Amino acid sequence: MDYSSEIYLVPCGKEKYISKNELLLHLKTYNLYYEGQNLQLRHREEDGEFIVEGLLNISWGLRRPIRLQMQDDNQRIRPPPSSSSWHSGCNLGAHGSVIKPSTLPDIQVTDAEPSLDEDGTDGAVDAKDLKAEQEDAPQLMRTRSDVGVRRRGNLRTPSEQRRLKRHRFSINGHFYNHKTSVFTPAYGSITNVRINSTMTTPQVLKLLLNKFKIENSPEEFALYIVHTSGEKQKLKATDYPLIARILQGPCEQISKVFLMEKDQVEEVTYDVAQYIKFEMPVLKSFIQKLKEEEDREVKKLRRKYSVLRLMIEQRLEEISEGPATM
């Protein structure tokens, strides 16, 4: 039986693939680690493509301030007017259009506390006289000014304010503020974003910045996988961050995904990272041993090439003496 046709490869970067079965094993371990939490991942197949989706934890690792966009408060809430409401003699339709009534309703106006005139007659207003006065008086169409809307915005109920912020998230409770719109998130604080395994690094960056309404360009940032050993691996533009997280394992005490400035962080390889945690005296002793080893290798090479040089010189002398003796 030919099993090669049954092997399904999932892309995890440029010209990098992993078998579906191996990825499912990593995914099973990942979900067992986060059992009962919202960080568990789901997988499905769509049009023959294997897709993993869920929340990805990303830690803030910025050294420079970021700029938040202006709050979405300029999107004014305008409650839909009722079709039966009357505003200064004009009726508003369902879409805010003005509909002139064909006939005016009979309106009877009475005082809150009826009073008697000097002659003892009732001060009630005759409805027919009022109707005639309304027909003769010019009617002005009322329009809503921006000033009125803004004044009304200051009296929003808590439910309306929550609805305004429904599509806007905060960074550690920090929303846009004219005085503190430029700030630096706490280093190491964690946020998350819902993505899938088909999204590349630039797409994840753009989604994260849009979530918090950050004005900075995604080109200023990069995603890094940072290990506790000090190793820093930058995710390339062709990498898939969710797949990379699954392959690194679920434990964030070993490795985390950080959002950092692209020009402020250098990658640290594993060979270099294993020496970072040592104290300075220990590192100096390592350097001394490496220097001694280097000196030994240099001496060995010099002896080798000195012997080769003598052999070549002797051979040249033999060749030069040969024709002279003949």
Side-chain angles (χ1 to χ4, degrees):
M1 180 180 289
D2 185 14
Y3 292 96
S4 59
S5 60
E6 299 180 3
I7 299 177
Y8 184 87
L9 298 178
V10 179
C12 55
K14 185 178 181 181
E15 299 180 354
K16 295 189 296 183
Y17 299 89
I18 184 175
S19 67
K20 177 182 174 182
N21 293 333
E22 185 178 354
L23 182 60
L24 285 173
L25 290 175
H26 286 283
L27 185 59
K28 183 178 179 180
T29 304
Y30 193 96
N31 286 336
L32 284 175
Y33 185 86
Y34 288 114
E35 186 175 4
Q37 302 182 37
N38 61 350
L39 290 175
Q40 283 189 317
L41 303 177
R42 297 177 299 175
H43 64 88
R44 57 185 171 87
E45 289 193 16
E46 184 176 333
D47 298 332
E49 185 177 11
F50 185 77
I51 300 176
V52 183
E53 57 186 2
L55 291 175
L56 174 65
N57 276 350
I58 299 178
S59 301
W60 296 98
L62 303 180
R63 300 297 185 183
R64 291 194 299 245
I66 58 175
R67 301 183 305 275
L68 296 182
Q69 295 178 5
M70 186 174 294
Q71 194 171 359
D72 305 327
D73 201 16
N74 55 357
Q75 298 178 356
R76 307 184 185 109
I77 297 178
R78 296 185 179 181
S82 173
S83 59
S84 59
S85 60
W86 289 83
H87 301 277
S88 298
C90 65
N91 189 14
L92 297 179
H95 300 285
S97 59
V98 179
I99 304 175
K100 293 183 179 180
S102 56
T103 58
L104 292 173
D106 294 337
I107 301 176
Q108 184 175 0
V109 179
T110 59
D111 293 332
E113 296 180 359
S115 58
L116 296 177
D117 297 335
E118 295 179 358
D119 56 358
T121 59
D122 196 332
V125 181
D126 185 60
K128 294 183 179 180
D129 296 339
L130 179 61
K131 179 178 179 182
E133 291 178 2
Q134 288 180 346
E135 290 178 351
D136 295 339
Q139 296 184 1
L140 298 177
M141 310 304 291
R142 174 178 291 183
T143 59
R144 292 179 293 175
S145 65
D146 290 341
V147 176
V149 173
R150 290 175 184 172
R151 186 181 297 113
R152 220 168 24 246
N154 296 331
L155 302 177
R156 292 194 182 98
T157 62
S159 60
E160 290 176 343
Q161 294 176 359
R162 286 194 299 269
R163 183 167 54 183
L164 274 175
K165 297 180 179 180
R166 183 176 301 167
H167 300 292
R168 183 184 183 87
F169 298 84
S170 69
I171 302 176
N172 298 6
H174 188 111
F175 287 96
Y176 176 86
N177 185 290
H178 286 282
K179 296 181 179 179
T180 60
S181 61
V182 178
F183 81 112
T184 305
Y187 189 90
S189 57
I190 299 176
T191 184
N192 55 57
V193 62
R194 184 170 296 277
I195 61 173
N196 60 52
S197 58
T198 64
M199 299 178 66
T200 59
T201 303
Q203 291 174 328
V204 174
L205 284 172
K206 186 175 181 181
L207 184 64
L208 179 64
L209 298 186
N210 287 340
K211 175 181 178 179
F212 294 102
K213 308 295 183 183
I214 298 176
E215 287 186 349
N216 301 64
S217 171
E219 299 294 331
E220 300 178 21
F221 308 103
L223 293 179
Y224 289 82
I225 296 181
V226 180
H227 296 258
T228 53
S229 62
E231 179 185 358
K232 294 180 182 179
Q233 177 187 355
K234 180 181 176 181
L235 293 181
K236 300 178 182 177
T238 56
D239 289 337
Y240 303 97
L242 189 57
I243 298 291
R245 173 76 267 183
I246 296 172
L247 297 181
Q248 290 291 331
C251 184
E252 294 192 350
Q253 295 179 354
I254 299 176
S255 62
K256 293 183 179 182
V257 179
F258 268 83
L259 174 70
M260 297 180 170
E261 291 93 346
K262 187 180 297 184
D263 58 346
Q264 292 288 313
V265 183
E266 294 183 1
E267 290 190 78
V268 179
T269 62
Y270 173 77
D271 295 333
V272 176
Q274 60 183 338
Y275 296 106
I276 292 180
K277 299 297 182 180
F278 291 104
E279 298 293 335
M280 188 59 68
V282 179
L283 292 175
K284 287 182 177 180
S285 66
F286 286 158
I287 294 175
Q288 182 63 30
K289 290 182 178 180
L290 289 174
K291 190 176 185 308
E292 292 175 359
E293 184 178 353
E294 180 185 7
D295 293 339
R296 287 195 299 267
E297 292 295 326
V298 169
K299 291 179 180 179
K300 189 184 297 185
L301 287 174
R302 285 178 177 175
R303 285 196 301 267
K304 176 182 176 180
Y305 286 104
S306 296
V307 173
L308 289 175
R309 184 177 59 186
L310 290 174
M311 292 174 60
I312 294 173
E313 289 177 352
Q314 289 177 1
R315 183 57 182 166
L316 289 174
E317 289 178 0
E318 292 175 0
I319 295 174
S320 61
E321 293 177 355
T325 56
M326 292 179 61

